[in-house]
Amino acid sequence: MAVNISVDEIGVRSLDVDYFEITWKVRSTSEDLLDYTFQVLRSQGPMGPFDEASPEMDDRFFFIDNNIRRNHDFRIWFYKIRVKEKTTGLTKDFGPADPGPEADLIALELRKHMNLLFREFIGRRCWVF
């Protein structure tokens, strides 16, 4: 018996220098998704070896990887999604996916301005007497 669900559209998006958001979608199926667990695997090469980046998750379809340390700009991380059936313990890996090319200068400047906005100007002004 095999794993009967399939993972599509694995996306890796950079949130910051040291954070990646990994998202995935599951193809439409009649299987109950709560019978499966999802785990994110990480590697420095597309062929592996892959290490566990997340614990097994039941009903989440995203993971924020904040344990990467980008020592230099040329390091590329690759991610796979491991699907495990709870009753039989069978697993199937989907991927690999990488973050893709770096953003252009306009996107970097916009990201910098938005981070400044979120850090400095979000909230409600109040007076304490």
Side-chain angles (χ1 to χ4, degrees), residues 20 40-45 48-54 63 65-69 77-80:
F20 281 128
V40 178
L41 307 174
R42 174 182 58 222
S43 175
Q44 293 184 23
F50 283 87
D51 300 323
E52 298 174 352
S54 75
F63 176 72
D65 188 8
N66 58 1
N67 290 326
I68 59 172
R69 288 171 184 79
W77 295 102
F78 293 88
Y79 292 92
K80 280 187 176 183

Side-chain angles (χ1 to χ4, degrees), residues 88-103:
T88 62
L90 294 173
T91 62
K92 187 173 181 183
D93 293 343
F94 297 93
D98 63 345
E102 287 292 321

Side-chain angles (χ1 to χ4, degrees), residues 50-79:
F50 283 87
D51 300 323
E52 298 174 352
S54 75
E56 292 183 356
M57 302 173 282
D58 287 331
D59 56 351
R60 289 177 52 193
F61 302 101
F62 72 94
F63 176 72
I64 296 178
D65 188 8
N66 58 1
N67 290 326
I68 59 172
R69 288 171 184 79
R70 295 177 69 179
N71 295 336
H72 53 79
D73 292 334
F74 302 113
R75 177 170 289 170
I76 298 174
W77 295 102
F78 293 88
Y79 292 92

Side-chain angles (χ1 to χ4, degrees), residues 10-29:
I10 301 172
V12 181
R13 188 172 64 152
S14 176
L15 298 174
D16 195 1
V17 175
D18 294 327
Y19 298 99
F20 281 128
E21 178 187 53
I22 299 93
T23 59
W24 60 93
K25 293 182 181 179
V26 177
R27 267 193 206 153
S28 180
T29 182

